[in-house]
Amino acid sequence: MQPNLLAETHEVFNQVPPLDDVNLYRIDLPLQEWTRRFGGDWAEARIDAYGALAGGELMAAGFLANENKPVFKSHDRFGHRIDLVEFHPAYHQLMSAAIEHGIPSMPWTAPRPGAQVARAAMSYLHSQAEAGSGCPLTMTYASVPALKLQPDIAALWLPKILSREYDPRNLPIEQKNGATIGMAMTEKQGGTDVRANTTRAYPVGAPGPGQAYELVGHKWFCSAPMCDAFLTLAYTDRGLTCFLLPRHRPDGTRNQFYIQRLKNKLGNWSNASSEVEYRGALAWMIGEEGRGVPTIIEMVALTRFDCMVGSSALMRQALTQAAHHCAYRQVGGRVLSEQPLMQNVLADLALESEAALALTMRLGQALDNAHEQQEDKFARLVTAVGKYWICKRAPAMINEAAECMGGAGYVEDSILPRLYREAPVNSTWEGSGNVQCLDVLRALSKEPGVLDALFNELGDGHGDARLKAHIQRLQADFRDSAEIQYRARQLTEDVALALQAKLLLEAGNATVSDAFIASRLGEGGRVYGTLPRGVDVTALVARSMPQLG
Ligand SMILES: Cc1cc2nc3c(=O)[nH]c(=O)nc-3n(C[C@H](O)[C@H](O)[C@H](O)COP(=O)(O)OP(=O)(O)OC[C@H]3O[C@@H](n4cnc5c(N)ncnc54)[C@H](O)[C@@H]3O)c2cc1C
C-alpha cells in the first residue's frame, strides 16, 4: 500500500466553491442599478475595471495587508529619531491601485454630474477588498474643500493631492509626485469636544490665514501618520483654528512631528493609528483664524459620507459571502438558500444592504448637486442621519452574515472576521453615534431650510399608506420639542428608515420596497430573519446572490 493513501482518511465534500477572482461590480446587481440611477452610468467602464481588480488582486492584497500589521520605527540603528511606519507591500499595492484609479481625486479633477456617485461606487468596491487603506484615501479626498479655503497653500498642495501617482516616499512635498493627507483633531481630554483642545499655535512672523505658525501640544489619535501633511486644530489668541502641518519643513528637515506609539486596535489592522506630539511643529493657517471647526468640518462632512460608503461596502461583502455560501452548502440534503428560515435571514440581510447603498448613493447625488440649495441642505442632514444609521447597522448585520456560514464564518480565511472587526470603527470615528444624532437636531433646528428639504424629499409617501403614516408621525415628533435630545436616536432612526423606504419605492422594484416597508415600518422582530409573512424571499435572495453569469 502507498504510504500517502494511508493519510487519506476521508473524502472532502459539501464544501463551497471559492469565490476568488470575481468582478465585484459585475456580480452586484443592486450596485449597478443604484450607480446608474444616481448618474454614475458614464463611469461604468472604470467602475467595472476596478470591480475586477477589487475582486481579484486587491482582495488577495487585503488579506496580506491585514496579516502583516504596520510597524512603528522610532529610531534608526544609529539612534537617530526617524518616526517611520513600515507597511507591508500589499498595503502599498492597495493605495497605489486606488490612487491610480482616481478614488481620492475623481470628483475634484473632473467634476460632472454623477462624479461623486461614481467615486463612491469605486470606493465601495475598494472597501470590500480592504477597508483599512480607505482611511488615508478618504482623508486625502476629503481634505480638498477645506484646503481650497486657503488658495495660496492649496496651490502648492493640490496638484500633489490630486495626482494619480501614489508616492509613499518620506520626502518634502516639493520632491514628491503625489501626496496623501491626514486629519488630527482628537486630544486626550476630548475627541467630541474639540473645544477642549490644549494644543497652542504661535506665529512665526506675521499672523493670519496662510501664515506660518509653530504648534505645541499633542493629538491622541492620528491615523495614517505616514501621510504627507495633516489638517489639525490648535488655539491661537483668537480661538480654535485649522492648520496644515506637513511632515517636513520647507528646508527639507523633518518637522517637529513625533509619533509616540501606534494604537493596538480592535480592527482596522492594515491602517496605522498613532499618538503624536507637536514640539514646535511648523504649520500653515487654513481659513479664518478662530474658525477652525467650521473649516475642518468641510473635511469631516466628506469623511462621514465615506463612513457610509465604507459600512455599506462591508455589509455588501458580508452578504456576498453569506449568500454564496448558502447557495452551495447543504444541510439535511438541501441547500441552505432554499430552506425557509435561512431565506428569511438572507433576504433580511439583503434588504439592509441595499437600503444602506441606496441612502449612500442618494447622498452622493446630493453632493454632486450641492450647488442647488435644496440638495445642499439635504446633504447636510443626510450626512449625519446616514453616518449614524448605516454605521450602527453594520456590525450586527455582518455578525448575522457570518453566522449564515456557520463555523466557516468565524475563521479568518472567510474574510468575515475582518469585516466584523472593521465595522465598529465607522460608527466611532468622525463623530460617534450620539454626536451624529445631536447633529441631526442641530441641523434641523438651527439651519433654515433643512427641515423643509427633508420633508420635500419624503413627499407624501409615494402612494404607500404605511410610509405616509410614518412620515406624518415623524412630522408630529419633530413638532414636539420636549426631551428632544433624549429622543434623538429614535428620531434619527425614523428619518433614516423613511428615506430608505422612499428611495426603494421610487426605484420601482416592488419586491424590495414592499419587503422593506413591511419589515422596517410595520411588523418585524428585532433581529435579522424576522421578515413578516408574504415577502418574496426567493426573489430577494436571488437578487442579492453574486451574479456569476
Ligand atoms: C481607530 C481610530 C482611529 C482614529 N483616528 C483619528 C484621526 O486620525 N484623527 C482624529 O482626530 N481622531 C481620530 N480618532 C478619534 C475619534 O474620532 C474619537 O475617538 C471620537 O471622535 C470620539 O472622541 P473621544 O474618543 O474623545 O470620545 P468622547 O468625546 O469622550 O465621547 C464618548 C462618547 O460620548 C458620546 N457623546 C459625546 N457627547 C455627547 C452628548 N452631548 N450627549 C450624549 N453622548 C455624547 C459620544 O458619541 C461617544 O460615544 C480615531 C479613533 C479610532 C477608534
Side-chain angles (χ1 to χ4, degrees):
M1 200 177 283
Q2 300 289 329
N4 63 337
L5 287 184
L6 279 175
E8 299 288 344
T9 61
H10 63 284
E11 183 194 347
V12 177
F13 68 100
N14 195 23
Q15 286 285 351
V16 174
L19 194 60
D20 296 340
D21 234 350
V22 289
N23 181 323
L24 290 183
Y25 186 63
R26 284 197 197 163
I27 65 167
D28 189 341
L29 213 52
L31 177 61
Q32 294 166 24
E33 288 182 12
W34 289 101
T35 302
R36 289 176 198 141
R37 181 162 181 76
F38 288 128
D41 42 351
W42 54 268
E44 251 186 306
R46 288 160 74 169
I47 303 169
D48 183 64
Y50 208 74
L53 262 185
E57 62 186 66
L58 298 186
M59 188 63 81
F63 280 94
L64 280 174
N66 282 274
E67 281 158 17
N68 299 278
K69 293 185 189 180
V71 177
F72 173 46
K73 297 275 168 69
S74 58
H75 295 80
D76 69 8
R77 66 192 174 116
F78 306 107
H80 304 113
R81 184 97 201 205
I82 50 173
D83 290 86
L84 286 180
V85 182
E86 286 178 359
F87 293 86
H88 189 271
Y91 170 88
H92 294 301
Q93 184 187 349
L94 287 153
M95 291 293 291
S96 181
I99 289 174
E100 278 169 23
H101 285 81
I103 291 183
S105 58
M106 236 168 99
W108 315 127
T109 49
R112 58 178 284 185
Q116 292 283 5
V117 170
R119 190 208 74 96
M122 288 172 71
S123 180
Y124 185 79
L125 295 168
H126 184 91
S127 296
Q128 290 186 58
E130 209 290 303
S133 49
C135 173
L137 292 169
T138 283
M139 293 193 291
T140 303
Y141 150 74
S143 68
V144 173
L147 279 172
K148 280 186 175 168
L149 296 175
Q150 198 57 52
D152 45 347
I153 305 291
L156 171 64
W157 283 85
L158 284 186
K160 313 283 170 134
I161 291 170
L162 299 177
S163 145
R164 289 283 184 102
E165 192 175 330
Y166 172 55
D167 185 348
R169 293 174 304 158
N170 188 27
L171 291 174
I173 189 64
E174 292 79 4
Q175 297 173 40
K176 294 201 59 169
N177 303 322
T180 52
I181 302 292
M183 171 170 58
M185 298 188 290
T186 308
E187 296 188 3
K188 290 173 184 162
Q189 69 284 352
T192 303
D193 192 5
V194 289
R195 297 204 174 276
N197 275 191
T198 57
T199 298
R200 292 286 311 185
Y202 303 95
V204 173
Q211 298 298 333
Y213 283 69
E214 285 183 340
L215 270 51
V216 178
H218 80 284
K219 296 292 165 184
W220 182 228
F221 279 92
C222 175
S223 285
M226 297 318 292
C227 286
D228 295 284
F230 305 86
L231 279 166
T232 193
L233 294 175
Y235 271 98
T236 68
D237 292 343
R238 291 194 171 166
L240 200 57
T241 304
C242 183
F243 293 89
L244 183 73
L245 188 154
R247 283 175 55 80
H248 291 86
R249 290 179 165 244
D251 64 5
T253 58
R254 280 163 32 93
N255 205 353
Q256 280 66 40
F257 169 90
Y258 293 88
I259 299 173
Q260 299 297 95
R261 57 175 171 172
L262 297 189
K263 301 283 194 189
N264 187 4
K265 297 179 287 185
L266 164 69
N268 195 245
W269 287 351
S270 70
N271 180 36
S273 298
S274 65
E275 296 164 19
V276 298
E277 283 188 5
Y278 306 154
R279 303 178 191 161
L282 190 64
W284 283 267
M285 188 184 286
I286 303 295
E288 250 180 90
E289 189 171 356
R291 303 267 307 153
V293 173
T295 303
I296 214 160
I297 280 288
E298 295 277 338
M299 178 172 185
V300 173
L302 292 176
T303 58
R304 287 178 178 170
F305 169 50
D306 267 9
C307 289
M308 293 168 62
V309 176
S311 284
S312 303
L314 296 173
M315 286 196 269
R316 174 65 222 192
Q317 181 54 213
L319 173 66
T320 296
Q321 296 295 338
H324 176 72
H325 183 94
C326 292
Y328 290 92
R329 180 74 167 178
Q330 294 194 8
V331 178
R334 208 169 155 203
V335 288
L336 284 166
S337 60
E338 288 172 7
Q339 306 210 24
L341 186 53
M342 186 57 94
Q343 286 187 317
N344 195 330
V345 175
L346 287 175
D348 210 354
L349 297 180
L351 288 174
E352 196 65 44
S353 167
E354 182 158 356
L357 177 65
L359 189 59
T360 300
M361 290 307 218
R362 174 66 186 92
L363 178 53
Q365 186 196 38
L367 293 172
D368 274 322
N369 297 336
H371 51 275
E372 295 168 24
Q373 202 187 36
Q374 174 99 351
E375 286 288 275
D376 189 41
K377 305 269 180 209
F378 181 73
R380 166 71 186 89
L381 179 72
V382 172
T383 302
V385 171
K387 158 71 163 86
Y388 170 70
W389 182 240
I390 293 172
C391 299
K392 202 47 91 188
R393 297 295 280 175
M397 186 278 187
I398 295 165
N399 175 35
E400 200 65 65
E403 196 177 310
C404 292
M405 299 168 70
Y410 203 73
V411 173
E412 288 291 336
D413 299 348
S414 76
I415 203 178
L416 267 296
R418 168 146 59 96
L419 301 175
Y420 185 60
R421 274 197 305 274
E422 195 68 41
V425 79
N426 280 336
S427 66
T428 293
W429 63 16
E430 309 307 326
S432 311
N434 287 354
V435 172
Q436 299 309 313
C437 296
L438 295 173
D439 196 41
V440 168
L441 297 186
R442 190 175 310 116
L444 286 169
S445 62
K446 298 243 161 74
E447 296 187 26
V450 170
L451 194 64
D452 289 344
L454 170 65
F455 286 108
N456 283 344
E457 173 86 7
L458 288 177
D460 65 354
H462 297 260
D464 187 287
R466 298 160 297 182
L467 179 55
K468 185 174 183 173
H470 181 83
I471 294 168
Q472 285 169 345
R473 266 197 310 277
L474 204 49
Q475 281 165 330
D477 286 342
F478 277 117
R479 279 195 296 272
D480 172 10
S481 59
E483 296 187 285
I484 193 125
Q485 279 203 18
Y486 184 74
R487 298 188 286 124
R489 279 194 180 218
Q490 186 63 57
L491 286 168
T492 306
E493 174 174 329
D494 288 341
V495 171
L497 291 176
L499 287 168
Q500 289 179 320
K502 178 261 177 187
L503 289 168
L504 295 174
L505 259 177
E506 256 185 358
N509 185 328
T511 307
V512 177
S513 58
D514 259 359
F516 186 86
I517 291 171
S519 54
R520 272 59 172 177
L521 304 186
E523 41 171 322
R526 287 174 185 264
V527 293
Y528 290 104
T530 51
L531 295 176
R533 287 189 202 188
V535 166
D536 188 351
V537 285
T538 311
L540 290 173
V541 171
R543 180 173 167 77
S544 71
M545 207 47 87
Q547 313 289 312
L548 293 174

